[in-house]
Amino acid sequence: MGAIIINGGRPLRGTVEISGSKNAALPIIAATVLHGGTYELRNCPDIADVRCACAIVEELGGHVTKAGQSLYIDTGQIFRKTVPEHLMKRMRASVLFLGPLLGRFGSAELTLPGGCPLGCRPVDLHLEAVAAMGAAVTLREGTICCHGPRLHGCCIDLRFPSVGATENALMAAAACHGTVTIKNAAGEPEICDLIAFLQAMGAQIRGGGTSELTITGGAPLRGVSYTVMPDRMETATYLCATAGCGGEVLLLDGDGSCLEPVIEVLTRSGCDIRQRPEGLYVKSTERLRASGHIETAPYPGFPTDAQAPLMAAFLRAKGALEISEHIFEDRFGHVPQLLRFGARIELAGNCARVRGADVLRPARVEACDLRAAAALILAALQAEGESVVSGAHHLYRGYDDPVRKFTALGASIRPAR
Ligand code: UD1
């Protein structure tokens, strides 16, 4: 798991299949806990975070088996309402088990979640949402205890359209007595996928994709078969990789309709990107032309998760690009590492200015989080010579078989022995 060795400087050519979405699969796996039943989840990515979510289901007393990209989950025998600390620490999304456990059993106990170090990342909005439904919530010495045997209808007005808080509120609300309205809800496509899954289970939810969701709780639920949407951020990463390295790639199953801000930046910088029936096609034949300013924002704005890979794509561009990060207070951990490749990036607060360098030199670097790891891989693919990216476990949390996929595109990339 330690490091990845890359001999960069080659264009990327060929076809790569986009896996199922991490950020959709994780809440959907958590949602299977809401009702004891059997589930088939198709198109689940084979990544460490999904394995962690499955380990939580098993720890709670459920059963998970895997066949290819499908997970078969039986949550009928779940009896524990506590997620152990060693699993909570492994990823932020472990907190998504709060809503389903509370909804099904009337109580839940979790420790504060881990995840990428992008700032303080509190869970206050999650806790306020379930408290509004009538749960008694305590947070003492890092342990969250929620008790709410009879959740009721309410109106939740989120101070910020948090993805995770919207998902937890949705899942708890599906089991409450009454109607829950969530205002200022997040509208990310992965939330729409969760809503479609919950609706297939029988939940009554209106307003998916808008900022106001209405859930009529208490509808009878059932186990279902469901296909998880393709991964938007894996798609963005392979788009950025092709844009930065040059080449021509077809992203099988890639869906450009939910990546418009990323596609807009790459297209205006010189890439040819087209949606085809089988996926997203990208061609990049010359150095990107950088200009303008990008601001990360909740959907449909520029996604924070694409910020680091996009920055990596512009390291050799002509001109300069400014990027402001507005979602997380500390999401430029990749910048000091990118400088080791000879990148020209100036940081001032939450704003980074990237001026293209004529060449990148190979470097030994260490990833500090998932998307930072992707950015370092993209930089190494563009730098002629041998680079070593350590901290690769961050990459494997969210990217399905990246070494095989980049190799299939002609890259020289291998795990260190
Ligand atoms: C999800 C995604 C992550 C993405 C992020 C923003 C998953 C598994 N992860 O993370 O990849 O980068 O959305 O698109 O889907 N906040 C609070 N209090 C809370 C909750 C959040 O202050 O209770 C703040 C966070 O610190 C952060 C901002 O809100 O600054 C956005 O967080 P949120 O939308 O909740 O992201 P996650 O659900 O953690």
Side-chain angles (χ1 to χ4, degrees):
M1 294 300 259
I4 291 177
I5 299 173
I6 292 174
N7 258 290
R10 303 178 181 192
L12 301 178
R13 293 191 196 287
T15 299
V16 63
E17 76 282 7
I18 297 301
S19 297
S21 163
K22 168 178 95 72
N23 287 355
L26 295 175
I28 287 173
I29 293 169
T32 66
V33 169
L34 191 53
H35 166 78
T38 55
Y39 299 82
E40 178 192 25
L41 301 184
R42 296 179 293 266
N43 203 34
C44 280
D46 189 7
I47 53 174
D49 277 13
V50 162
R51 287 192 288 276
C52 178
C54 293
I56 292 176
V57 171
E58 297 213 302
E59 182 69 31
L60 294 171
H63 295 287
V64 184
T65 52
K66 183 170 171 13
Q69 298 304 108
S70 295
L71 294 177
Y72 297 89
I73 303 181
D74 185 347
T75 55
Q77 306 304 314
I78 282 186
F79 61 97
R80 289 196 190 93
K81 305 158 207 165
T82 304
V83 182
E85 188 175 8
H86 72 277
L87 293 172
M88 287 301 298
K89 277 201 303 214
R90 277 178 27 196
M91 61 172 184
R92 168 88 176 170
S94 53
V95 77
L96 298 176
F97 284 84
L98 171 67
L101 282 173
L102 184 63
R104 176 154 165 205
F105 297 111
S107 71
E109 189 179 312
L110 306 84
T111 53
L112 286 172
C116 291
L118 311 176
C120 68
R121 304 188 82 180
V123 292
D124 51 339
L125 300 173
H126 300 243
L127 302 185
E128 286 169 23
V130 295
M133 290 178 224
V137 179
T138 58
L139 172 54
R140 247 183 246 121
E141 290 169 8
T143 298
I144 303 164
C145 292
C146 291
H147 185 69
R150 197 178 159 83
L151 299 178
H152 55 66
C154 63
C155 180
I156 299 163
D157 196 351
L158 291 172
R159 269 176 280 119
F160 180 86
S162 154
V163 171
T166 301
E167 292 168 342
N168 249 333
L170 269 168
M171 295 188 280
C176 82
H177 302 262
T179 298
V180 174
T181 305
I182 309 174
K183 293 188 172 175
N184 200 24
E188 268 68 2
E190 293 78 13
I191 294 181
C192 297
D193 215 33
L194 171 65
I195 289 174
F197 176 74
L198 291 169
Q199 287 171 330
M201 284 176 70
Q204 304 289 309
I205 304 172
R206 282 180 287 124
T210 74
S211 61
E212 185 165 318
L213 303 173
T214 307
I215 307 100
T216 308
L221 302 176
R222 57 183 171 268
V224 291
S225 288
Y226 191 79
T227 303
V228 174
M229 67 180 278
D231 196 298
R232 262 190 324 143
M233 293 312 146
E234 189 190 31
T235 305
T237 302
Y238 284 96
L239 279 179
C240 291
T242 311
C245 295
E248 189 173 9
V249 172
L250 178 65
L251 313 178
L252 276 183
D253 278 348
D255 177 6
S257 67
C258 52
L259 273 175
E260 277 174 14
V262 177
I263 291 173
E264 193 273 320
V265 178
L266 294 176
T267 303
R268 90 166 119 88
S269 308
C271 293
D272 180 11
I273 301 177
R274 291 158 202 239
Q275 186 70 56
R276 291 184 175 167
E278 65 275 31
L280 203 55
Y281 163 86
V282 51
K283 184 174 180 182
S284 172
T285 50
E286 52 192 28
R287 281 175 72 185
L288 297 182
R289 296 183 302 273
S291 65
H293 192 136
I294 292 165
E295 313 233 354
T296 64
Y299 191 82
F302 190 95
T304 175
D305 286 352
Q307 181 253 105
L310 187 95
M311 184 184 289
F314 280 85
L315 296 179
R316 293 190 304 159
K318 290 182 187 157
L321 179 70
E322 283 182 11
I323 305 176
S324 296
E325 172 60 50
H326 294 295
I327 305 296
F328 293 104
E329 61 262 38
D330 189 9
R331 201 164 201 184
F332 283 129
H334 44 288
V335 170
Q337 301 293 311
L338 290 175
L339 295 177
R340 295 183 172 208
F341 291 97
R344 301 193 300 169
I345 308 167
E346 290 146 34
L347 260 188
N350 72 335
C351 186
R353 184 161 187 269
V354 186
R355 288 181 301 131
D358 287 338
V359 287
L360 296 180
R361 55 174 183 263
R364 299 181 76 88
V365 290
E366 174 149 19
C368 59
D369 67 63
L370 167 57
R371 304 302 165 187
L376 299 183
I377 297 289
L378 267 52
L381 288 169
Q382 297 174 67
E384 257 179 60
E386 186 175 285
S387 294
V388 180
V389 179
S390 56
H393 60 282
H394 291 292
L395 188 75
Y396 297 126
R397 280 190 49 202
Y399 289 90
D400 189 338
D401 222 350
V403 170
R404 179 185 62 75
K405 290 186 182 185
F406 277 117
T407 301
L409 295 178
S412 170
I413 175 170
R414 62 190 159 86
R417 295 273 162 237

